[in-house]
Amino acid sequence: MMMMRSWSGAVNLKMKISITNYNKTYSVETDEDMDVESMIETFKGLLVSMGYHPCNVDELLLTEYKWFTQAEIDNNRQGHLKVDNKEEEWQTNLYKQDTK
């Protein structure tokens, strides 16, 4: 990861955040001065543009802005939560051969 701040004169502020991963470069550049929270938000967007899931980025980088609410995250776990095994037991028994 490379972060640059370059000043040419007292008025022109430029900032660029660049990440190269598997020979592909992702970057964001701004002419505005940014505070730390704005930089983290920018970094979060950069991670999502690289293909990281927004839920994972939200959970690891805690900021005021969230891609999803906690309720949306909980509803979208797609099998990652421990659930009642009745469905799994039903599927197992469905194809079980009779041993009688």
Side-chain angles (χ1 to χ4, degrees):
M1 177 174 69
M2 179 178 83
M3 292 176 37
M4 271 181 2
R5 281 190 101 134
S6 60
W7 287 273
S8 53
V11 235
N12 187 11
L13 293 175
K14 277 195 178 209
M15 184 181 304
K16 180 177 182 178
I17 301 173
S18 178
I19 301 172
T20 302
N21 190 24
Y22 296 109
N23 294 322
K24 190 166 184 180
T25 301
Y26 305 85
S27 65
V28 63
E29 190 170 338
T30 180
D31 290 334
E32 300 173 14
D33 192 23
M34 294 170 54
D35 60 13
V36 174
E37 188 166 351
S38 297
M39 285 181 65
I40 292 172
E41 294 296 344
T42 302
F43 185 67
K44 285 173 65 172
L46 199 54
L47 290 172
V48 171
S49 74
M50 291 176 63
Y52 291 100
H53 197 281
C55 289
N56 295 338
V57 173
D58 275 347
E59 288 180 0
L60 294 172
L61 297 172
L62 305 175
T63 60
E64 186 175 324
Y65 175 78
K66 300 285 184 203
W67 293 95
F68 300 98
T69 65
Q70 189 59 47
E72 289 172 321
I73 292 170
D74 292 343
N75 288 333
N76 194 28
R77 294 285 180 179
Q78 299 176 355
H80 298 289
L81 296 176
K82 189 100 171 139
V83 293
D84 189 5
N85 291 338
K86 287 181 183 177
E87 293 88 5
E88 187 177 328
E89 185 180 326
W90 178 82
Q91 283 183 330
T92 303
N93 290 334
L94 184 65
Y95 297 105
K96 198 181 235 181
Q97 291 183 346
D98 245 352
T99 56
K100 295 180 187 178

